Amino acid sequence: MEEVVVIIGAGPAGLASSACLNRLGIPNIILEREDCYASLWRKKAYDRVKLHLAKQFCELPYMPYPPNLPMFVPKNDFISYLDNYASHFGINPRFHCSVESVYYDKNASKWCIVVKNNKLHTTEVYIAKFLVVATGENSEGLIPKVPGLDGFEGMYMHSSQYENGKDFVGKNVLVVGCGNSGMEIAYDLFYWGAHTSIVARSPVHVVSKEIVFLGMCFLKYLPCRLVDFIAITVSKINFGDISKYGIQRPTEGPFYIKATTGRSPTIDVGAVQRIKTGEIQVFPSIASIKGNEITFENGKSKPYDAIIFATGYRSTVLDWLKDGKELFNGNGMPKQRFPNHWKGENGIYCAGFSQRGLMGISVDAQRIATDIGAGPSGIATSACLNRLKIPNIVLEREDCCGSLWKKRAYDRLKLHIPKQYCELPYMPYPSNSPTFVPRNGFIAYLDEYVSHFVVIPRYNRSVELAFYDPDAGKWRIEVKNVCSHAREVYAAQFLVVATGENAEGVIPDVPGLAGFAGEYMHASQFSNGRKYIGKDVLVVGSGNSGMEISYDLCQSNARTAIVNRSPVHVVTKEMVSLAMFLLKFLTVATVDKILVRLCKLRFRDLSKYGIQRPKEGPFFLKTTKGRSPTIDVGCVDKIKRGKIKVFPSIANIDGKKIEFMNGESNQFDAIIFATGYRSTVGRWLKGGEELFDDNGFPKRNLLNKWKGSNGLYCVGFARNGLLAISNDAKNVSQDISTLILNSRNLLTNIMVNSSSVSFGY
């Protein structure tokens, strides 16, 4: 039986891998030895277990948790989430299939998977081009060798067999291991009235869920060592010195250990308080067992009725995998550390072995599906369409992709928000990229994106007219080939307008500008300040481009002034990063109050320098009007020190003399208009009035601002940067895919694309 992809294991890793492949239309099957998926959670997890991380860090790809679930999701709710996930993505594993042998057939260049069907008692053989090992790191419970354990007169089991403490009421129970399972089971036993002890075999960090949550948030912005210092300090305040109770703390920090060894800190659920009161006793490792008497390495001994070994799991991959040794080590774990652990040779992959929980599983699944299914695709929308196997053509008026960044962006430009909010779909930035990616780094990212997805746009195509032909039921796109001057006509079932909000620079009407005796330009024509050394330069506009260009001119020793035409919020990059994080949990109004307060503390009163602050908050303006706050790169300090002067709007220009609305005037050699951009959609698109307003932007009263009628869509008009572009692209491609699947027709799709597909900062 030949398949494209065989996935071994129907736990969360297998389900996530199948879902990602299904979204790309790549045939796959899951082989599972149990009679259900996620059997570890259904059959081998104790009743009170919860996800130890906040739910936003534990989502499988493309499906968030229901908003009514608690932050730390209980076992039964997580199982329901998995049920819904499998149903939503149409995942149907083949159960009762125990893999006995897997090897790579070099002659056929295929993987051969020999399976025993435990229900039918037959042997089955599967042939696959790609193999995904998704059995994970927790395949089989591990019980260490302990002298005398075979003769123990009580009951012993692995923690995967433990459900709850009902059967242990009034009994002496020893839990071996003080990791998350050990501590939680010990607490559960105490809760049920067992006389509980715990063995701490090695040093361990004990933290609270809140500390882990904050630590994972801080790791986006702070070094691991600093986050560890904060976590340890807070833990000491919270728990005090727990070494006196038998629990030693490692010398390295909790997040450093997690990153380098995969060992998680222990999250306290209440056991520490019981240890402090003596209700749960802590012992070192077991020295020997005789009858029901257990002697520990400190010489103490005690009789026990039961032992529960919370001593981890082992991988069983090498029990059946005969090839792929370049991927797995002798313990059945990947040889390479995260994030380079997931891919081997000859089409073998592994998911769920990163030792980073469900977040690691999600990353693995998406990388594997992308690697297997990368076909012809394009920037953002085109990439998403091709991942769903939907043919499309990209029309680009320039001779390159990302022309705004390559040809019309100043040298010192950087992304103004952290890189994790600026990724195009299905491709993160390199891990060594700085948090705020510079212009050249972003251009390199775009080029790599184009190369990775084998993009071949049709360049030098200027769209002159696009309209819907109701008789044909198609969009007609008339294009001028700028190189050959030939006219081309395309017909398409779907039309995606991706020219974006920054299609054309705007220079406002200013009295006397036509007779200005110096040089003037739009900000898109400015490269750097080198040619303005010693000259008087006026920058019109105090947004991000205006402030940054002013700073660049000042640094280049130009005598710089800036026109602040309207009130503006001035913030720092760190404030924006913090605000974007807080917006996941707090309202826009609350975040705005916090941000404005921080701005006042950081910048004080800027009105005395000519910069007024709006009455509405920065993110309220961003969400309602698309106006971004201005992120300071050092310009404010120059303004305060008098290096850059601030003027109100221009009243008139006479030669090189510029008069301002406050009556002041000055001579200038050059003017740079950082006055924004306009959409050009209205010039060539006919019949899109229900989607676009007179300014060429999606109408604000639309529920889905990316979708019109008759197969018309738009991407890059949300005024919310690359994050919105990524979301729009995914929404559009998924909607088109749904329509195609419903109609069962193979349709051609055209995406009219300009440089704005790579805008957003």
Side-chain angles (χ1 to χ4, degrees):
M1 188 179 301
E2 186 162 344
E3 304 289 344
V4 176
V5 184
V6 167
I7 302 167
I8 301 176
L15 296 179
S17 299
S18 182
C20 291
L21 291 166
N22 286 345
R23 281 174 56 88
L24 301 181
I26 301 170
N28 64 91
I29 62 165
I30 300 179
L31 303 177
E32 168 57 48
R33 65 182 175 183
E34 301 288 343
D35 59 357
C36 62
Y37 48 79
S39 62
L40 182 68
W41 282 87
R42 294 178 190 273
K43 299 180 177 182
K44 303 176 186 178
Y46 44 96
D47 295 345
R48 66 173 295 117
V49 71
K50 294 181 181 181
L51 297 181
H52 291 141
L53 299 180
K55 61 183 179 182
Q56 60 263 43
F57 299 119
C58 298
E59 293 175 352
L60 296 186
Y62 313 114
M63 187 169 170
Y65 287 91
N68 61 331
L69 287 186
M71 181 176 289
F72 300 97
V73 179
K75 170 186 173 182
N76 288 338
D77 288 329
F78 181 64
I79 291 173
S80 295
Y81 169 78
L82 294 179
D83 288 339
N84 292 332
Y85 191 86
S87 174
H88 179 76
F89 290 105
I91 301 170
N92 296 296
R94 299 188 182 183
F95 297 119
H96 307 286
C97 290
S98 179
V99 176
E100 299 201 329
S101 176
V102 177
Y103 61 92
Y104 185 69
D105 185 340
K106 293 181 180 179
N107 294 325
S109 298
K110 297 286 179 68
W111 287 92
C112 182
I113 303 98
V114 181
V115 173
K116 180 181 179 181
N117 188 311
N118 296 322
K119 188 175 183 179
L120 302 176
H121 304 290
T122 57
T123 298
E124 302 168 353
V125 177
Y126 295 84
I127 306 297
K129 183 177 181 181
F130 301 102
L131 175 71
V132 180
V133 180
T135 50
E137 57 206 63
N138 297 341
S139 299
E140 184 176 87
L142 185 63
I143 294 180
K145 294 180 179 179
V146 178
L149 179 61
D150 290 341
F152 180 57
E153 294 179 355
M155 175 180 66
Y156 71 90
M157 66 176 69
H158 188 264
S159 58
S160 60
Q161 299 169 282
Y162 176 86
E163 295 181 4
N164 56 59
K166 282 190 289 191
D167 295 333
F168 301 96
V169 177
K171 294 183 179 181
N172 291 329
V173 185
L174 177 66
V175 179
V176 180
C178 59
N180 282 303
S181 295
M183 283 287 222
E184 195 154 357
I185 288 172
Y187 180 79
D188 189 62
L189 286 163
F190 161 80
Y191 174 83
W192 283 98
H195 307 298
T196 309
S197 304
I198 190 168
V199 167
R201 300 186 298 165
S202 57
V204 64
H205 284 287
V206 181
V207 296
S208 66
K209 288 182 177 179
E210 292 74 19
I211 292 173
V212 173
F213 175 74
L214 288 175
M216 294 187 70
C217 297
F218 288 157
L219 282 171
K220 297 178 181 179
Y221 314 107
L222 301 176
C224 183
R225 297 286 187 183
L226 180 55
V227 175
D228 275 341
F229 174 77
I230 295 171
I232 291 171
T233 301
V234 176
S235 295
K236 287 180 178 178
I237 294 171
N238 192 16
F239 299 114
D241 180 13
I242 56 177
S243 64
K244 64 179 71 173
Y245 304 102
I247 300 175
Q248 305 295 325
R249 192 179 294 279
T251 54
E252 296 289 354
F255 290 99
Y256 175 82
I257 291 175
K258 179 64 177 175
T260 56
T261 69
R263 284 175 51 202
S264 299
T266 295
I267 300 173
D268 180 54
V269 294
V272 170
Q273 181 60 33
R274 303 304 171 188
I275 290 170
K276 286 182 174 183
T277 60
E279 294 166 292
I280 297 177
Q281 289 185 286
V282 180
F283 291 102
S285 295
I286 299 172
S288 64
I289 300 175
K290 187 174 182 180
N292 67 347
E293 190 82 13
I294 298 179
T295 302
F296 302 95
E297 289 188 346
N298 62 357
K300 294 183 179 180
S301 62
K302 188 176 178 180
Y304 287 94
D305 302 298
I307 310 173
I308 297 170
F309 287 93
T311 43
Y313 295 80
R314 76 174 186 96
S315 166
T316 60
V317 171
L318 299 186
D319 293 353
W320 45 264
L321 183 64
K322 308 308 176 186
D323 293 301
K325 301 297 172 64
E326 82 290 343
L327 178 59
F328 293 98
N329 63 23
N331 295 319
M333 296 293 289
K335 290 182 177 179
Q336 298 292 325
R337 292 191 180 278
F338 178 90
N340 303 312
H341 63 286
W342 56 279
K343 182 178 180 180
E345 298 174 357
N346 302 320
I348 186 173
Y349 303 86
C350 65
F353 289 82
S354 66
Q355 297 184 305
R356 277 162 174 77
L358 290 161
M359 180 188 291
I361 285 172
S362 183
V363 172
D364 287 349
Q366 292 178 76
R367 283 179 172 175
I368 290 168
T370 300
D371 200 67
I372 292 174
S377 50
I379 297 297
T381 305
S382 187
C384 293
L385 287 169
N386 277 282
R387 283 172 61 87
L388 299 174
K389 304 301 180 185
I390 301 171
N392 65 89
I393 299 171
V394 180
L395 301 177
E396 167 59 51
R397 67 181 176 185
E398 301 288 344
D399 59 358
C400 63
C401 65
S403 64
L404 181 69
W405 283 82
K406 292 181 178 179
K407 298 181 177 182
R408 292 183 278 162
Y410 43 95
D411 294 346
R412 67 173 294 114
L413 178 63
K414 295 182 180 181
L415 297 179
H416 290 142
I417 58 177
K419 61 184 179 182
Q420 62 264 33
Y421 300 112
C422 299
E423 294 174 351
L424 294 183
Y426 312 115
M427 184 169 166
Y429 288 90
S431 57
N432 61 349
S433 297
T435 301
F436 300 95
V437 179
R439 175 195 178 202
N440 287 341
F442 183 68
I443 289 172
Y445 170 77
L446 287 181
D447 289 341
E448 178 63 23
Y449 194 90
V450 167
S451 174
H452 179 75
F453 291 107
V454 197
V455 181
I456 309 175
R458 299 190 183 184
Y459 292 120
N460 301 299
R461 262 67 172 191
S462 177
V463 175
E464 300 198 335
L465 179 65
F467 63 93
Y468 185 71
D469 183 346
D471 294 332
K474 299 283 183 71
W475 286 91
R476 180 183 173 91
I477 302 95
E478 298 181 2
V479 175
K480 179 181 178 181
N481 187 315
V482 178
C483 293
S484 67
H485 303 289
R487 298 185 67 80
E488 301 170 355
V489 178
Y490 298 83
Q493 191 78 25
F494 302 103
L495 176 66
V496 183
V497 180
T499 51
E501 58 204 68
N502 297 345
E504 182 178 84
V506 173
I507 294 180
D509 292 330
V510 178
L513 179 61
F516 179 57
E519 173 193 25
Y520 72 91
M521 66 179 69
H522 188 264
S524 59
Q525 298 170 281
F526 177 84
S527 296
N528 56 63
R530 286 196 292 269
K531 76 173 187 175
Y532 299 101
I533 296 173
K535 293 186 178 182
D536 293 288
V537 185
L538 178 66
V539 179
V540 181
S542 57
N544 283 302
S545 296
M547 285 285 216
E548 194 154 356
I549 288 172
S550 297
Y551 178 78
D552 189 67
L553 287 163
C554 187
Q555 289 291 91
S556 299
N557 294 318
R559 292 184 290 272
T560 311
I562 189 169
V563 168
N564 180 32
R565 299 185 297 166
S566 57
V568 62
H569 285 286
V570 181
V571 298
T572 66
K573 288 181 177 179
E574 293 73 21
M575 290 177 192
V576 173
S577 297
L578 175 63
M580 293 187 73
F581 167 69
L582 293 177
L583 283 169
K584 298 177 182 178
F585 314 103
L586 304 176
T587 63
V588 169
T590 302
V591 173
D592 275 345
K593 288 179 182 178
I594 294 171
L595 202 57
V596 169
R597 181 60 180 164
L598 290 173
C599 290
K600 289 178 179 178
L601 291 172
R602 170 66 176 81
F603 298 113
R604 303 296 179 184
D605 181 13
L606 294 181
S607 64
K608 65 178 72 173
Y609 303 102
I611 300 175
Q612 306 293 329
R613 191 177 295 280
K615 294 179 181 179
E616 299 93 343
F619 280 90
F620 175 82
L621 289 174
K622 179 65 177 173
T623 55
T624 58
K625 299 180 181 179
R627 286 175 50 195
S628 298
T630 295
I631 300 173
D632 179 53
V633 293
C635 191
V636 169
D637 182 61
K638 301 288 187 185
I639 290 171
K640 286 183 174 180
R641 292 194 288 131
K643 298 288 186 180
I644 297 175
K645 191 169 183 180
V646 180
F647 290 104
S649 296
I650 298 172
N652 186 60
I653 299 176
D654 184 7
K656 284 192 175 183
K657 180 183 177 182
I658 298 180
E659 183 178 338
F660 301 95
M661 289 294 187
N662 63 355
E664 293 186 57
S665 63
N666 208 340
Q667 297 276 333
F668 290 95
D669 301 300
I671 310 172
I672 298 169
F673 287 92
T675 44
Y677 295 80
R678 68 163 63 97
S679 166
T680 59
V681 172
R683 296 180 188 173
W684 50 266
L685 179 64
K686 310 303 176 186
E689 292 79 10
E690 85 292 345
L691 179 58
F692 292 96
D693 61 22
D694 293 339
N695 295 317
F697 281 90
K699 293 181 178 178
R700 292 192 175 277
N701 61 349
L702 295 176
L703 178 62
N704 293 322
K705 296 181 175 61
W706 44 270
K707 181 178 181 179
S709 58
N710 299 321
L712 178 64
Y713 300 88
C714 66
V715 172
F717 290 83
R719 301 185 183 185
N720 205 20
L722 288 160
L723 180 62
I725 287 174
S726 183
N727 290 335
D728 284 352
K730 291 176 181 177
N731 287 332
V732 168
S733 60
Q734 189 59 57
D735 196 74
I736 291 174
S737 175
T738 301
L739 292 173
I740 290 176
L741 289 173
N742 289 340
S743 63
R744 297 183 179 275
N745 290 324
L746 180 62
L747 305 172
T748 301
N749 305 275
I750 305 295
M751 184 173 74
V752 181
N753 180 24
S754 183
S755 55
S756 64
V757 107
S758 59
F759 289 1
Y761 48 89

